[in-house]
Amino acid sequence: MAQIVSPDPDERTRDRVLSAVLERGPVSAAELGNSLGFTPAAMRRHLDALSSDGLIEVKRVRSSATGAGRPARRYVLSRRGQSKMGNDYLDIATAALTQLGEAAGPQAIEDFARTRFSGMEERYRPIVEAAGPDLEARAHALAGALTTDGFVGSTKTVGMPQARGVRTPSAPSTPSARPAMLSVQLCQGHCPIQGLASAFPAFCDQETGVFARLLGVDVRRLSTLAGGGHVCTTHIPLGRTTVAPAASGSTAVPASADAASPSNPATLSIHQQGRP
């Protein structure tokens, strides 16, 4: 008779860890250890093994409360890990939406995506409104809400960081003052519906519309995970800033508005370029 071999205890334990990352990710090692009852050393051993197998990956996330300090390590499933856990939902959802589009036309898919994201907009609005009128603060609050929902959100102010705090609505008072443009990059390091959004771009379009309405400005998508980028990046314009000339002897050279514009490829960050 064939001998029945019991599954490796470590393998079964790592399946539990993988399931926990799927349910709770992005999640820290400490949070996983507490929820599963593992010591820090045991938790680290299992996470290292899953990472070596390419089933999980690390995302760096700043605190949604202050944005200060070193980014914390958070674990999410990799694409390989998603495949191991099964993607039946994706096949079913893709087939259903394809049939919906064939029966009722592309507008039906857009309506479906709009309905799905209306719930996000309703939940996020009080969080963003509580940040007050400052657009940077509102964008940071939005990133925190996205992180809570598993999107690993973060923000970065780009353009003229030395000009922060001196934005004025008036024109430069002296000929030597230089105008520049500031913007915020809102990044999402994980997308729970990435496979679905790859097949139906309406989901990304509707999410972008939600961001614009919550922030009260026109925003522009620069890259998406669904489109092959390493992150989803949304450009949020902060407006024109008047930059005083650099002090004598200073090596800082303010950039012009055109040089800071995301339309200038030479100044695009790795997030803005989508693919490195």
Side-chain angles (χ1 to χ4, degrees), residues 162-175:
Q162 69 268 37
R164 294 183 63 181
V166 296
R167 292 196 296 272
T168 66
S170 60
S173 57
T174 64

Side-chain angles (χ1 to χ4, degrees), residues 225-265:
L225 285 159
H230 287 298
V231 293
C232 297
T233 305
T234 304
H235 171 80
I236 305 167
L238 294 181
R240 189 169 295 278
T241 300
T242 299
V243 183
S248 177
S250 171
T251 58
V253 180
S256 67
D258 180 65
S261 170
S263 63
N264 186 341

Side-chain angles (χ1 to χ4, degrees), residues 128-152:
V128 175
E129 293 294 337
D134 182 76
L135 190 52
E136 285 182 83
R138 293 171 71 89
H140 189 69
L142 176 55
L146 287 166
T147 295
T148 300
D149 275 356
F151 290 90
V152 195

Side-chain angles (χ1 to χ4, degrees), residues 14-15 18 21-22 47-57 75-85:
R14 284 165 193 164
D15 284 342
L18 195 63
V21 174
L22 173 64
L47 289 173
D48 287 345
L50 290 170
S51 181
S52 296
D53 290 341
L55 298 176
I56 62 174
E57 57 190 25
Y75 292 91
V76 298
L77 258 64
S78 65
R79 291 190 178 184
R80 183 176 177 182
Q82 293 282 359
S83 298
K84 178 178 173 63
M85 298 303 293

Side-chain angles (χ1 to χ4, degrees), residues 62-68 140:
R62 289 192 180 277
S63 167
S64 59
T66 65
H140 189 69

Side-chain angles (χ1 to χ4, degrees), residues 146-198:
L146 287 166
T147 295
T148 300
D149 275 356
F151 290 90
V152 195
S154 63
T155 60
K156 179 181 180 181
T157 302
V158 297
M160 289 294 297
Q162 69 268 37
R164 294 183 63 181
V166 296
R167 292 196 296 272
T168 66
S170 60
S173 57
T174 64
S176 59
R178 300 182 180 183
M181 294 297 292
L182 280 175
S183 65
V184 169
Q185 285 184 0
L186 172 64
C187 298
Q188 298 157 256
H190 180 63
C191 177
I193 59 168
Q194 179 177 339
L196 201 60
S198 296

